[in-house]
Amino acid sequence: GEGGARRGAGGGGGRAGRAMAAGGAGAGGAALELRAGAELGRGRYRVRRELNRGGTAVVYEAEDRGEPGAGGGRGQRGALKVMNSAGPGARSQSLAAVKREVGNAASLKHPNFVQLLDVFAEGPQRLVIVWELVTGPDLLDLLNACGGRMTEARAGKYLSQTAAAVEFLHENNLCHRDLKPENCMVESQTDQIKIIDFGLSKHLDTAATLGVGTPDYMAPELLNAGPGRAAPGRYDARQVDVWALGVMLYLLVAGVYPFEDPKHPDNVAHTLQNVRLGRIAPLPGVVSASCADLIARMLHKNPRRRITLNGLKRHPWMMTHGDEALIPTEPEEPTDSKTKRSRASSKGCATPRRSEELTRKASSLLKNSESSRGAGEPACSGGSAAPPAGSSKGIVKLFARLKVDKS
């Protein structure tokens, strides 16, 4: 629109690290307040500045002064997500989501995903998750900087990078379920997409919860409406991600949301009604017929007739406008092929051992923080009670006390 595309529900905040902090404002009170120069992880990380804050966490830019290695190292900068692990600000549902986010993010390494570097406790009340720092705007900020609409060439480049990352996610039996421009950072130096926020990511075979995600990007099957369910409460989460990519492409080339009612632009109920009915707003005349065709295929109301990721990357518009490094050159693979992987997704690798290690570490730290608090120890802001960042000592059961949700 005229003032630029608005942020979806749960958006807002600073640049890098925006979507790493759960929505809302005034997170955690004094326990999460850190000044520039504060040291965490037994001196390994020195805070430089605050990046963003939400209802349950604050994200800081910090310098890593540890030894170089797979989890960062001296001179590098990271984004530290500091959250409550105990006390009134720590909700079991939020902590369960953190466990899932840590496990899923640590299990994958791909150039278009932000990398999880470390997890450690800072005293009995703080859990700190260290992420790769992405320097640059998110895709929505970049869209608004472009005047509210991107050229098809630029939109195609970013869409193909995002689709490659999502394809890799699906090949590793995961789905994202909250794809949107606010969750896609653009690294300024490389012009490369980095997907962030794994808070709603889930294993494909257990994705069942309805109504998850952001309303503007929510597929009809998530609203319990229309065809496409294999069983009550079940849906193909891969096609949910394709739908969200379709909404993103529409927004990038049109500058408006496909299901937003222009007479009621901020009315979520009207938006969701249009989603249920598959009522897509007409595209501007400047959008090419090929691009419009792809969008229509991505936003098909019936997920069984919706284009797949394999079909998406081979669509004529994507073959023309996608990132050159990601355009398929090999013949189309059979749909039942499980042995071959695309050029796009083969750039990544699964790291289940690291996922297990970091998830156990986070679980152990949370459990330890609660037990020490229960023993009458006062909450402290220092890191003396925590094991050193990166160590494996005392890392066995942190989220064991949590009822991990089935969403």
Side-chain angles (χ1 to χ4, degrees), residues 146-184:
C146 291
R149 184 184 298 164
M150 285 186 183
T151 64
E152 291 187 21
R154 194 167 193 180
K157 176 180 180 179
Y158 295 139
L159 180 68
S160 60
Q161 290 183 17
T162 308
V166 174
E167 182 180 28
F168 174 70
L169 203 63
H170 292 177
E171 286 177 345
N172 284 278
N173 199 36
L174 293 169
C175 56
H176 192 279
R177 299 195 303 175
D178 197 23
L179 292 166
K180 54 186 176 181
E182 296 94 315
N183 285 345
C184 297

Side-chain angles (χ1 to χ4, degrees), residues 339-385:
T339 57
K340 295 182 179 179
R341 301 176 66 194
S342 68
R343 286 171 63 197
S345 62
S346 63
K347 291 186 176 183
C349 61
T351 54
R353 187 171 297 177
R354 178 167 173 77
S355 170
E356 217 173 288
E357 175 190 346
L358 289 179
T359 304
R360 283 201 316 268
K361 183 176 181 180
S363 297
S364 177
L365 295 172
L366 280 181
K367 185 172 182 180
N368 290 343
S369 72
E370 184 177 72
S371 61
S372 66
R373 193 168 53 88
E377 295 181 13
C380 64
S381 57
S384 58

